[in-house]
């Protein structure tokens, strides 16, 4: 797995805008795409040079047309899968997930997620061993990977770690892998430590059957609970920065606390290294829609040392943000600071 390139991001933008000539693309949207990808503010001339360079090296117009055809094909595949679901319901037979090819299996997974109340935020058009879907539910952004495996095959540790990396790139708090096969022991152990949910064959088939039957099951232990309606809510894009790879953020969420009305962050950290880490602190910055950092806090953890393979929870809040500023906030950046301990 790998993150999308700037070229692929621009191609997806051109597909959305239905561009048929290179000089007709929306420059403002293209500039925003470049800034969001590079996460740096450049002047218009610099961005224009970047765009001109990409257009000189790649035939983005024809590539975007091919992507548009792919998007139309995806819609056609969705219709085929929906037809298979209806046929299974009418015949009272279980839908055979093993009979689906990889593309149709991914389309089926998308229908399962929609059925259980997940909002589809993003389906990458340019999908080269990347995630399949990004979904959102209960203020949690989740990267989803659907794996159609051969009978008897196992999904391994490498896939779990790659999904965590891609999920961080897309600022997703959690990851979800669904497969028609099973996971090996190492994958299961790793997933529990880095906030990746695994749905193997035995868990997926009942969900598919529920989709076929048209029922809305509730309180599935491996799915997020029903969305709670909250009068006070806020939605932020998230970015997690790691100074090293030793201490990992395995889970993070934010919400408006019902009692205090403070913006609250809570989550878990895990020391995946072989040695302890000390002086751990969580640095959180909040940005407005102009990408200006308007609130910033550093929260030291109340623990002198985090041992190897140890997990710790954290919970912090911003008590100085007035209610009228909530709608101006659009992004948070979380960064870990700590020291490696080499000698006892």
């Amino acid at each position: 797995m790998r993150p999308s390139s700037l070229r692929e991001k621009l191609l997806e933008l051109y597909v959305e805008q239905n561009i048929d000539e290179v000089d007709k693309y929306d420059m403002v949207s293209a500039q925003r795409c470049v800034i969001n990808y590079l996460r740096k503010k450049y002047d218009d001339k610099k961005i224009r040079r970047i765009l001109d360079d990409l257009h000189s090296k790649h035939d983005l117009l024809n590539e975007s047309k091919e992507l548009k055809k792919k998007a139309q094909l995806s819609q056609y595949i969705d219709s085929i899968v929906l037809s298979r679901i209806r046929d299974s319901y009418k015949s009272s037979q279980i839908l055979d997930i093993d009979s689906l090819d990889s593309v149709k299996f991914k389309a089926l997974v998308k229908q399962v997620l929609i059925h259980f109340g997940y909002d589809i935020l993003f389906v990458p058009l340019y999908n080269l061993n990347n995630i399949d879907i990004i979904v959102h539910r209960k203020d949690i952004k989740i990267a989803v990977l659907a794996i159609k495996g051969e009978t008897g095959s196992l999904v391994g540790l490498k896939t779990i770690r790659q999904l965590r990396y891609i999920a961080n790139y897309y600022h997703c708090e959690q990851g979800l892998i669904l497969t028609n096969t099973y996971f090996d022991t190492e994958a299961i152990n790793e997933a529990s430590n880095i906030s990746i949910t695994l749905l193997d064959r035995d868990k997926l088939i009942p969900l598919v059957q529920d989709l076929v039957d048209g029922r809305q099951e509730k309180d599935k232990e491996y799915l997020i609970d029903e969305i709670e309606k909250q009068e006070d809510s806020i939605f932020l894009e998230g970015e997690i920065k790691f100074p090293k790879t030793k201490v990992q953020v395995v889970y993070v969420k934010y919400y408006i606390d019902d009692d205090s009305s403070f913006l609250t962050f809570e989550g878990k950290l895990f020391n995946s290294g072989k040695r302890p880490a000390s002086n751990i602190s969580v640095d959180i910055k909040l940005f407005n829609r102009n990408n200006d950092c308007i609130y910033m806090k550093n929260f030291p953890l109340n623990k002198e040392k985090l041992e190897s393979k140890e997990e710790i929870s954290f919970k912090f809040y911003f008590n100085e943000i007035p209610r009228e500023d909530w709608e101006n906030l659009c992004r948070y950046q979380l960064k870990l600071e700590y020291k490696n301990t080499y000698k006892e």
Side-chain angles (χ1 to χ4, degrees):
M1 295 183 194
R2 62 170 178 78
S4 299
S5 66
L6 177 57
R7 166 173 156 265
E8 292 164 359
K9 289 290 187 182
L10 284 171
L11 284 172
E12 291 179 348
L13 175 65
Y14 293 169
V15 171
E16 291 177 3
Q17 296 181 350
N18 198 23
I19 302 298
D20 55 4
E21 293 182 22
V22 174
D23 58 356
K24 288 186 178 181
Y25 66 86
D26 182 357
M27 176 57 72
V28 175
S29 298
Q31 288 177 332
R32 189 183 304 115
C33 179
V34 173
I35 292 173
N36 290 341
Y37 181 84
L38 299 177
R39 296 198 173 278
K40 290 184 179 180
K41 286 187 175 180
Y42 291 111
D43 58 52
D44 292 346
K45 291 183 179 179
K46 173 69 173 179
I47 295 176
R48 183 72 197 197
R49 285 197 298 270
I50 293 173
L51 290 170
D52 290 343
D53 182 60
L54 282 170
H55 281 286
S56 66
K57 293 180 179 178
H58 307 284
D59 188 357
L60 297 183
L61 176 59
N62 286 326
E63 288 186 52
S64 65
K65 289 180 179 179
E66 291 300 318
L67 270 186
K68 186 177 179 181
K69 292 179 182 178
K70 183 178 178 181
Q72 293 171 342
L73 176 62
S74 177
Q75 295 174 359
Y76 174 66
I77 296 297
D78 285 345
S79 67
I80 292 177
V81 169
L82 288 172
S83 178
R84 291 285 298 272
I85 292 170
R86 287 192 295 269
D87 291 344
S88 179
Y89 174 76
K90 291 178 181 179
S91 63
S92 299
Q93 294 181 354
I94 297 175
L95 196 157
D96 183 8
I97 59 177
D98 295 323
S99 66
L100 303 175
D101 60 25
S102 178
V103 176
K104 293 185 179 68
F105 179 77
K106 294 177 187 294
L108 175 64
V109 166
K110 184 169 74 170
Q111 295 303 322
V112 168
L113 294 172
I114 292 173
H115 174 67
F116 280 95
Y118 289 79
D119 294 323
I120 306 297
L121 289 182
F122 176 58
V123 179
L125 291 175
Y126 217 107
N127 192 342
L128 298 175
N129 297 321
N130 207 324
I131 57 172
D132 296 304
I133 314 169
I134 293 178
V135 297
H136 174 259
R137 189 171 185 187
K138 202 177 180 181
D139 290 337
I140 297 177
K141 192 175 176 184
I142 307 168
V144 180
L145 180 63
I147 300 176
K148 173 61 166 52
E150 298 295 331
T151 303
S153 64
L154 297 176
V155 179
L157 176 64
K158 182 179 179 181
T159 301
I160 307 301
R161 289 177 173 172
Q162 286 177 333
L163 177 61
R164 181 68 267 177
Y165 170 71
I166 294 295
N168 289 342
Y169 173 81
Y170 282 105
H171 314 314
C172 297
E173 290 89 349
Q174 296 183 13
L176 173 63
I177 302 181
L178 304 94
T179 182
N180 66 316
T181 59
Y182 297 94
F183 301 91
D184 65 25
T185 303
E186 286 186 333
I188 294 172
N189 293 336
E190 181 74 4
S192 64
N193 290 328
I194 58 175
S195 198
I196 301 293
T197 301
L198 306 180
L199 299 186
D200 61 17
R201 180 184 187 86
D202 295 339
K203 293 178 179 178
L204 177 60
I205 289 178
L207 300 183
V208 173
Q209 189 58 44
D210 192 86
L211 169 64
V212 171
D213 293 342
R215 297 193 308 265
Q216 179 68 56
E217 292 189 7
K218 297 180 180 179
D219 300 325
K220 286 285 186 181
E221 61 180 356
Y222 35 80
L223 291 176
I224 299 175
D225 294 336
E226 186 66 27
I227 299 174
E228 297 176 357
K229 293 183 179 179
Q230 297 182 0
E231 182 178 351
D232 296 329
S233 61
I234 188 171
F235 181 74
L236 305 173
E237 285 285 340
E239 179 184 6
I240 300 175
K241 289 196 170 184
F242 301 97
K244 311 173 186 69
T245 58
K246 182 176 177 179
V247 179
Q248 300 281 341
V249 178
V250 297
Y251 167 72
V252 63
K253 72 174 182 178
Y254 62 88
Y255 56 91
I256 302 297
D257 184 75
D258 291 334
D259 297 326
S260 64
S261 294
F262 294 156
L263 175 58
T264 304
F265 286 82
E266 66 175 271
K268 292 181 181 179
L269 306 179
F270 177 73
N271 184 359
S272 61
K274 296 181 179 180
R275 297 181 181 276
S278 60
N279 297 343
I280 302 175
S281 64
V282 179
D283 186 76
I284 299 178
K285 296 180 179 179
L286 301 176
F287 296 81
N288 63 14
R289 300 186 185 282
N290 293 324
N291 207 31
D292 300 319
C293 177
I294 56 176
Y295 295 101
M296 177 175 61
K297 270 193 174 183
N298 182 272
F299 304 97
L301 265 64
N302 188 24
K303 187 175 180 64
E304 182 178 349
K305 188 183 297 183
L306 188 65
E307 300 292 340
S308 174
K309 309 305 178 185
E310 185 181 5
E311 186 177 87
I312 185 173
S313 299
F314 66 84
K315 183 176 181 179
F316 312 118
Y317 59 86
F318 286 80
N319 60 351
E320 72 277 24
I321 304 177
R323 187 186 184 96
E324 55 268 21
D325 268 3
W326 289 359
E327 63 181 18
N328 295 323
L329 299 175
C330 69
R331 182 168 70 90
Y332 74 85
Q333 182 186 92
L334 186 151
K335 183 178 180 181
L336 293 180
E337 299 287 351
Y338 61 88
K339 291 183 179 180
N340 287 314
T341 302
Y342 297 102
K343 294 182 180 180
E344 297 295 335

